[in-house]
Amino acid sequence: MDEIAAGVFVATADLYTTTTTVVAGDDGGCLLVDPAVTVAELAALAGWLSERGLRPVAGWSTHPHWDHLLWSAAFGSAPRYATPRAVAVAARELSGLVSGVREEAPGHDLTLFARVEPLLGREIDWAGPRAVVYAHDAHAPGHGAVLLPEAGVLIAGDMLSDIEIPLLDLAAPDPFDGYRRGLELLASLPGVRRVVPGHGHVGDQAEFRRRVAADRAYLDATEAGADVADERLSADWLRAEHARHLQRRPRR
Ligand SMILES: [Zn+2]
């Protein structure tokens, strides 16, 4: 568990280098974002929280993919929020999401899986530092990044990774355009001093800018059908995703 800013902690799971973010709030409460990913990792996280005297008072799921909708009874029964669109998609696609958990991280209490409720305002309502949600439809519908303005931390969900290329939502009508809108929304946020990707490593302000530029370059080259020189295109599964992106590029 790394303290990346005062009161903001990031744990990194073995599976897919998945991150979990904990934001300390008032009176021992904490905001728990995307707790992941295996049963053992959630148990270890719960143990760390209780050692620290922290108890989740709110949860946030950045987007409706199975590895961002997990929970454990050991975290208690705090309300868990996502954007209204993400909540609707999670409900609609629940059976497929459950299959994802069963295949990739078996053993979770599925009665607690994806129990998210829609956040109606722009900020997570909790007793702690301001947590402002920025919703967009890049990578997944109703993707909600969280900016902690005081700490300058952007919890980006599955965006701005140093190890994964932009992963488009191929079910969207125009995946490239949707991704660009989300990316530019995040790029426009002021005061980002730390970026936390859903998979990968925490970056500083310069790294945030570098990743925005790398993602723009990836989208530009892929959409144009040009050669893509992206150091993140190393794993087989990412090359396969890249091939799918090429097939979906708009014929303008
Ligand atoms: Zn995802």
Side-chain angles (χ1 to χ4, degrees):
M1 192 63 94
D2 296 321
E3 188 167 18
I4 63 159
V8 183
F9 304 88
V10 173
T12 306
D14 288 335
L15 192 61
Y16 316 130
T17 321
T18 307
T19 63
T20 297
T21 305
V22 175
V23 186
D26 305 339
D27 303 322
C30 69
L31 169 66
L32 187 51
V33 180
D34 286 356
V37 66
T38 63
V39 172
E41 284 163 338
L42 293 201
L45 188 59
W48 183 88
L49 290 172
S50 73
E51 275 166 31
R52 282 253 162 182
L54 290 170
R55 120 197 89 77
V57 293
W60 180 254
S61 283
T62 57
H63 64 288
H65 287 165
W66 73 265
D67 48 333
H68 301 264
L69 291 164
L70 297 162
W71 198 257
S72 162
F75 298 146
S77 55
R80 297 154 57 190
Y81 301 104
T83 68
R85 189 148 195 227
V87 171
V89 170
R92 194 179 69 217
E93 299 181 356
L94 187 61
S95 66
L97 294 167
V98 165
S99 299
V101 181
R102 286 205 167 113
E103 284 161 26
E104 306 280 332
H108 282 290
D109 178 353
L110 294 174
T111 65
L112 298 173
F113 177 68
R115 291 295 174 95
V116 282
E117 54 187 280
L119 182 81
L120 300 177
R122 271 283 301 284
E123 300 197 14
I124 299 172
D125 182 20
W126 78 300
R130 286 180 62 210
V132 186
V133 172
Y134 289 88
H136 58 80
D137 296 316
H139 177 67
H143 202 149
V146 176
L147 180 66
L148 307 171
E150 284 92 354
V153 171
L154 174 62
I155 305 165
D158 283 1
M159 305 278 290
L160 300 171
S161 175
D162 57 328
I163 60 170
E164 294 179 354
I165 54 169
L167 295 170
L168 309 188
D169 176 12
L170 295 176
D174 187 340
F176 283 87
D177 186 58
Y179 203 97
R180 282 181 197 283
R181 286 167 189 262
L183 180 62
E184 294 311 321
L185 174 66
L186 299 187
S188 74
L189 299 180
V192 175
R193 299 190 294 277
R194 290 280 183 278
V195 59
V196 185
H199 305 278
H201 304 94
V202 175
D204 62 10
Q205 189 169 37
E207 177 64 10
F208 169 61
R209 289 287 148 217
R210 192 194 69 77
R211 291 185 197 176
V212 167
D215 287 353
R216 282 182 185 140
Y218 173 84
L219 295 170
D220 287 348
T222 304
E223 196 167 356
D227 284 344
V228 174
D230 193 309
E231 62 188 15
R232 298 170 294 186
L233 267 178
S234 50
D236 285 347
W237 76 272
L238 288 168
R239 285 189 221 269
E241 290 296 326
H242 177 59
R244 283 190 201 101
H245 295 164
L246 283 170
Q247 284 169 359
R248 274 302 302 276
R249 63 201 181 87
R251 316 280 165 189
R252 291 198 172 102

